[in-house]
Amino acid sequence: MNKNAEAILLVEDNPDDAELTKLALARHGLDGRVTHVSDGMQALDYLYRRDGFTDRTGGNPILVLLDLKMPLLDGIGVLKEIKSSEHLRNIPVVVLTSSTEPSDLQRAYDAGTNAYIAKPTEFAQFLSAMKHVCEFWININQPAPQSASAGMRSTSFGELA
Amino acid sequence: MLRRDGTVFHALLSSSAVRDASGQFLRSNTTVVDITLRKVAEIALRENQRFLQTITDHVPGLIAYLDAMLRLRFANAEHQRVFGLDPGKILGLHISECLPPGEWAEIGPRLQAALGGQMQTFDVWRKTVSGESIFVSTTYLPDIHEGLVQGVFVQTIDITDHKRIEQRVSQLNDELEQRIRERSIELLESEQRFRLMVDNLREYCIFFLDAEGCITDWTDSAQRMEGYSPTEMLGRHYSLLFRQGKPDDALASANQMLRMAASRGQHELHSWHERKDGSRYFSHSLLIALRDDSGELRGFAKINRDMTDAKRLDDLMRNINDELENRVAERTEQLLAANKDLESFSYSVSHDLRSPLRHISSFVSLLDEHLSEQSKQSDETTQRYLSTIGNSARHMSQLIDGLLAFSRLGRSAVNLTAVDFAMLVDAVVNQLAHDTGGRVVDWVIPPDLPVVQGDGLLLREVWANLLGNAYKYTRPRERARIEISWSVDPAVGYTFDVRDNGVGFDTQYAQKLFGVFQRLHRASEFEGTGIGLALTRRILERHGGSIWAESQVGEGSVFHFSLPFEGVSPTDLVRDSIPSVLEP
């Protein structure tokens, strides 16, 4: 698996949160693969290779970790854009937020998120949560080896979702 | 006697004795007088009399003859029939002897006048032999012979029937006249009243139309209300009054209204109406078809009522209503905005307050790791400080979670379902009793807990809180006893009790128990966020129930809560729809 080509996109405006998440991912050996953007517009720019990302390498990220409350374009907006785009909809998105509000949970699932994590206060619990989510979305929930094309990948994600 | 020639004649023989001085009978002298002529005259007279008698006896009415001494010389049979006087017995009697008492005084003078040669005629009421009243007409005709009044012919005729008819006719006439008089007065009064009324109508006016809609009577009230004089209006079509729009249209709609009134009896219309001077009034007009007894249309009465004031009041009321509705809508909007604000506030609390806490907690953990890596042996004081920071952050996080749960409860709907309290309590107790930590707890739970209407998740919170508290505050007891009981009050619903033999509390603070962040025990003695009972109370209130407690310090506590049979009523939901995050 080409780990460089399949980055994890972390969309998070708060630098402390970004650092904690990156630390957690690093604990699971994923530190080299994280690309961090700090608002929703940048996330879309990255995904659509616009502005500062016109010459980025690699295809779609293997996973998007998405904060909800962000300036310019919030997490729900990004989520809706990803899930309505033919090109992007198969990227798994995990909402990573401080909010325990049921309404946020509802909105996120309505917009098509694949998972929702209300970040625990305890770092240990956060580590555990990140371990599980990354294991599932990066290692377990992968397309069958013979179907490397984008079209086949979409089918298998659809079935698993 | 027999004459010599053989003829028979009526003779009157008179014999007288002739005596001497000593009275010695000498002879008798007899004279024979031929009375044949006299006899013939006598027979003719008798015949005449009989003839007269027969006639008079059959003449209706009483006929009598009195001589100059007022003795009855003749009376026909009618006297017997009418007055019970037998003509044979009364002849020769003075008239006064044949009359009922008192009557002589009345007729005496009249008879005297008749004897004086003056005919008398008079009508008088009499009583018959059978006691019946009859009205008789009596005539006294003087019998004048050779210049002398020889007697009086008396004729009396029963004219009772005539009199009665006359009386009836007279009475009828009187009545008729009376009625005519009364009716005339009535009509006059009615007419006056009508005029007075019609002319003095203020808010109303009335005028009359013929069957074609031309004005036949233009009253003062109409003149006052509409501004036109009778000379302007009489004979003109009433569509003239409709000044708005084209005359043709006015005529068409006026005729249409006539047709409607004619077919339905009346036609009603509310509209603005223009007077001659151009001023306007809001009229309620009624067009009434007038028909005669045979049902033929005779014309119309039109009544217009000036409803301008009422209309203005109505409009004002409507404006006020609109205004009120606007205000209600505005206020609702404000409340919704406030609600929105509260939601975003609690959202901020959820998101923004938890983040820094998480950072504190996480970075303390990381710092701990970092320090351990650097100095291999752990500094005890540093460890303690770091753990305090971590615990505080954790505790605050719990507080925030509790607060959020509490505020969410104000906003979210209560989902009513059947909730089996036996199963629910069993589950809660099992969870609590799972890790007793060596404690001995006697759970007394009635086997017949009911199935209630409510939100299962929320009611689970209630039991978890109350039983959790009981479990927590009995910790110092060697043998804890936690007892559940319940009862039914038809007026209130269910009441449940949770009784423990724990540390209890001072009842003077009982109300504080249910406030947010209100605690009656030091955190060092009993852990907790101070949210649990506030949450419990809020949940029960959302269900239309309530909660209260009794206790004695050192003896234990009893918590009671009630739930209505039917679950929460919609009004409670409305009243409670605006959340108050910080209100206890």
Side-chain angles (χ1 to χ4, degrees):
Chain A
M1 197 176 286
N2 184 354
K3 294 191 173 184
N4 288 326
E6 295 180 319
I8 295 168
L9 180 62
L10 172 62
V11 191
E12 171 65 69
D13 65 319
N14 185 307
D16 295 337
D17 271 314
E19 188 180 349
L20 284 173
T21 306
K22 279 193 266 189
L23 270 170
L25 291 171
R27 293 286 170 95
H28 300 304
L30 296 164
D31 49 336
R33 298 175 61 180
V34 178
T35 301
H36 172 223
V37 294
S38 48
D39 67 59
M41 285 313 291
Q42 274 189 34
L44 293 185
D45 288 345
Y46 176 88
L47 292 170
Y48 286 122
R49 297 168 193 272
R50 298 183 303 218
D51 283 356
F53 301 100
T54 44
D55 52 355
R56 75 166 171 89
T57 56
N60 284 340
I62 193 166
L63 178 67
V64 174
L65 296 173
L66 186 62
D67 187 18
L68 282 185
K69 204 178 172 194
M70 290 182 299
L72 298 178
L73 181 64
D74 71 2
I76 297 295
V78 175
L79 191 54
K80 282 181 178 164
E81 181 59 37
I82 290 173
K83 292 302 172 184
S84 63
S85 157
E86 192 68 36
H87 179 56
L88 304 174
R89 75 159 52 119
N90 295 321
I91 305 168
V93 178
V94 174
V95 166
L96 209 55
T97 178
S98 303
S99 174
T100 54
E101 280 287 296
S103 62
D104 278 342
L105 184 92
Q106 187 67 46
R107 283 196 306 146
Y109 276 107
D110 286 350
T113 191
N114 300 82
Y116 184 100
I117 295 174
K119 286 183 267 188
T121 310
E122 296 290 310
F123 189 61
Q125 288 172 22
F126 181 57
L127 276 178
S128 163
M130 290 310 290
K131 181 175 189 288
H132 288 123
V133 87
C134 292
E135 231 166 50
F136 181 79
W137 291 108
I138 296 171
N139 298 324
I140 300 172
N141 190 31
Q142 284 299 304
Q146 70 268 27
S147 56
S149 76
M152 287 308 290
R153 172 176 280 190
S154 90
T155 312
S156 57
F157 271 121
E159 281 163 359
L160 281 157
Chain B
M1 295 189 88
L2 203 65
R3 285 196 191 94
R4 208 175 287 150
D5 60 0
T7 57
V8 178
F9 68 98
H10 281 273
L12 181 63
L13 300 179
S14 312
S15 295
S16 54
V18 181
R19 297 169 195 272
D20 60 9
S22 62
Q24 195 67 40
F25 177 81
L26 299 176
R27 65 173 188 266
S28 71
N29 285 343
T30 298
T31 55
V32 178
V33 181
D34 181 356
I35 56 165
T36 302
L37 283 176
R38 198 169 142 188
K39 202 66 195 176
V40 167
E42 201 172 278
I43 286 166
L45 186 66
R46 197 170 294 143
E47 192 62 21
N48 218 7
Q49 206 142 14
R50 196 185 54 80
F51 186 59
L52 204 62
Q53 186 79 44
T54 306
I55 289 172
T56 54
D57 280 353
H58 289 88
V59 163
L62 292 87
I63 293 167
Y65 182 80
L66 304 177
D67 62 15
M69 303 301 289
L70 295 179
R71 283 194 189 85
L72 267 165
R73 287 295 168 205
F74 175 82
N76 68 349
E78 280 289 281
H79 283 80
Q80 171 75 46
R81 194 182 63 78
V82 178
F83 293 123
L85 298 171
D86 182 357
K89 289 184 181 154
I90 59 172
L91 288 184
L93 292 177
H94 190 271
I95 180 68
S96 64
E97 292 175 86
C98 308
L99 293 171
E103 213 159 274
W104 172 248
E106 190 187 333
I107 65 166
R110 291 186 183 277
L111 282 169
Q112 291 303 332
L115 288 176
Q118 291 171 334
M119 191 178 88
Q120 299 288 314
T121 299
F122 60 97
D123 301 336
V124 70
W125 283 100
R126 282 278 145 79
K127 268 238 176 344
T128 65
V129 64
S130 59
E132 188 188 347
S133 282
I134 54 171
F135 193 72
V136 295
S137 175
T138 301
T139 305
Y140 295 153
L141 182 66
D143 176 23
I144 300 168
H145 187 63
E146 292 173 355
L148 286 174
V149 176
Q150 305 291 328
V152 177
F153 294 102
V154 178
Q155 187 194 19
T156 299
I157 303 165
D158 181 354
I159 55 164
T160 310
D161 287 348
H162 179 75
K163 177 69 181 173
R164 290 246 157 87
I165 288 162
E166 194 181 69
Q167 270 186 331
R168 182 85 192 113
V169 168
S170 151
Q171 193 186 337
L172 283 174
N173 270 341
D174 288 353
E175 279 176 17
L176 201 62
E177 268 172 38
Q178 182 64 24
R179 277 164 66 179
I180 288 167
R181 254 196 314 276
E182 283 171 5
R183 192 84 190 101
S184 306
I185 290 168
E186 267 174 35
L187 280 172
L188 191 68
E189 282 176 352
S190 162
E191 166 73 8
Q192 279 172 342
R193 263 204 307 274
F194 174 71
R195 270 289 148 202
L196 210 62
M197 189 183 79
V198 160
D199 290 346
N200 287 287
L201 288 172
R202 291 292 161 193
E203 288 178 356
Y204 293 86
C205 81
I206 185 167
F207 53 93
F208 298 88
L209 318 172
D210 63 16
E212 276 70 48
C214 293
I215 293 166
T216 54
D217 189 356
W218 188 251
T219 65
D220 285 2
S221 63
Q223 181 172 356
R224 199 158 39 233
M225 182 95 94
E226 306 289 345
Y228 298 95
S229 69
T231 46
E232 283 173 291
M233 295 313 292
L234 284 174
R236 309 286 295 275
H237 196 272
Y238 87 109
S239 65
L240 201 71
L241 292 166
F242 304 141
R243 291 164 52 97
Q244 292 112 316
K246 281 177 276 180
D248 285 353
D249 294 347
L251 184 64
S253 70
N255 281 331
Q256 163 132 18
M257 282 188 267
L258 290 180
R259 280 195 297 277
M260 303 235 269
S263 66
R264 294 177 195 170
Q266 65 176 51
H267 177 69
E268 216 173 329
L269 186 70
H270 293 265
S271 65
W272 284 101
H273 195 79
E274 202 174 298
R275 297 189 182 90
K276 186 188 179 186
D277 64 7
S279 64
R280 275 150 48 93
Y281 72 96
F282 190 75
S283 90
H284 171 202
S285 83
L286 207 55
L287 189 62
I288 302 162
L290 303 175
R291 293 179 184 280
D292 61 18
D293 290 346
S294 63
E296 186 153 344
L297 186 66
R298 287 295 174 201
F300 299 90
K302 187 153 169 40
I303 301 171
N304 288 350
R305 184 178 178 189
D306 183 352
M307 299 280 284
T308 311
D309 289 346
K311 169 75 174 165
R312 295 225 165 99
L313 205 61
D314 196 42
D315 289 349
L316 187 67
M317 290 299 291
R318 201 159 298 165
N319 285 344
I320 288 171
N321 269 343
D322 288 352
E323 176 77 8
L324 269 176
E325 265 168 39
N326 284 341
R327 271 193 226 169
V328 167
E330 242 170 66
R331 187 86 188 103
T332 308
E333 217 158 282
Q334 286 171 358
L335 285 171
L336 285 174
N339 201 358
K340 208 85 186 156
D341 285 350
L342 281 169
E343 265 177 50
S344 63
F345 171 78
S346 87
Y347 184 85
S348 296
V349 169
S350 166
H351 196 273
D352 299 348
L353 254 56
R354 282 166 55 88
S355 294
L357 272 177
R358 201 176 59 252
H359 299 159
I360 293 168
S361 168
S362 300
F363 281 109
V364 163
S365 298
L366 290 167
L367 179 60
D368 191 14
E369 281 175 32
H370 184 67
L371 287 174
S372 306
E373 276 166 22
Q374 281 201 329
S375 62
K376 298 301 172 190
Q377 80 224 41
S378 170
D379 174 347
E380 205 175 291
T381 313
T382 310
Q383 281 294 324
R384 190 161 58 79
Y385 288 170
L386 287 174
S387 126
T388 304
I389 296 170
N391 286 340
S392 299
R394 205 173 303 124
H395 186 227
M396 188 162 174
S397 174
Q398 287 169 354
L399 291 178
I400 290 170
D401 286 347
L403 197 58
L404 284 173
F406 182 75
S407 87
R408 262 201 299 275
L409 202 55
R411 286 176 279 141
S412 56
V414 173
N415 298 312
L416 290 182
T417 52
V419 181
D420 185 347
F421 268 7
M423 283 173 66
L424 202 152
V425 167
D426 195 45
V428 170
V429 169
N430 277 338
Q431 202 170 26
L432 284 171
H434 183 67
D435 180 21
T436 55
R439 291 182 56 194
V440 181
V441 181
D442 294 333
W443 295 94
V444 183
I445 302 164
D448 61 343
L449 282 168
V451 175
V452 304
Q453 285 293 314
D455 187 314
L457 284 176
L458 296 178
L459 291 176
R460 188 193 166 94
E461 279 289 302
V462 170
W463 282 109
N465 262 301
L466 294 179
L467 294 174
N469 279 349
Y471 187 73
K472 183 161 67 179
Y473 292 105
T474 51
R475 201 181 323 162
R477 302 286 176 255
E478 267 181 38
R479 193 177 188 94
R481 181 185 165 85
I482 299 169
E483 184 183 350
I484 296 171
S485 58
W486 68 288
S487 60
V488 165
D489 179 343
V492 180
Y494 301 105
T495 301
F496 299 91
D497 321 292
V498 178
R499 191 180 305 270
D500 67 55
N501 63 341
V503 296
F505 58 89
D506 187 342
T507 39
Q508 80 179 93
Y509 303 117
Q511 274 314 303
K512 286 200 165 186
L513 274 179
F514 302 104
V516 174
F517 296 145
Q518 299 285 350
R519 300 202 61 210
L520 301 184
H521 298 278
R522 277 190 294 279
S524 58
E525 288 176 303
F526 297 99
E527 75 287 352
T529 57
I531 280 286
L533 283 176
L535 200 61
T536 300
R537 188 183 78 160
R538 176 63 69 96
I539 290 169
L540 290 169
E541 284 174 355
R542 290 299 308 272
H543 281 80
S546 59
I547 183 167
W548 64 101
E550 300 151 36
S551 182
Q552 215 166 347
V553 176
E555 297 289 310
S557 326
V558 195
F559 282 82
H560 311 275
F561 69 92
S562 67
L563 277 176
F565 295 122
E566 303 297 332
V568 69
S569 69
T571 49
D572 291 333
L573 280 173
V574 169
R575 182 171 52 77
D576 211 19
S577 64
I578 306 304
S580 49
V581 172
L582 293 174
E583 176 224 62

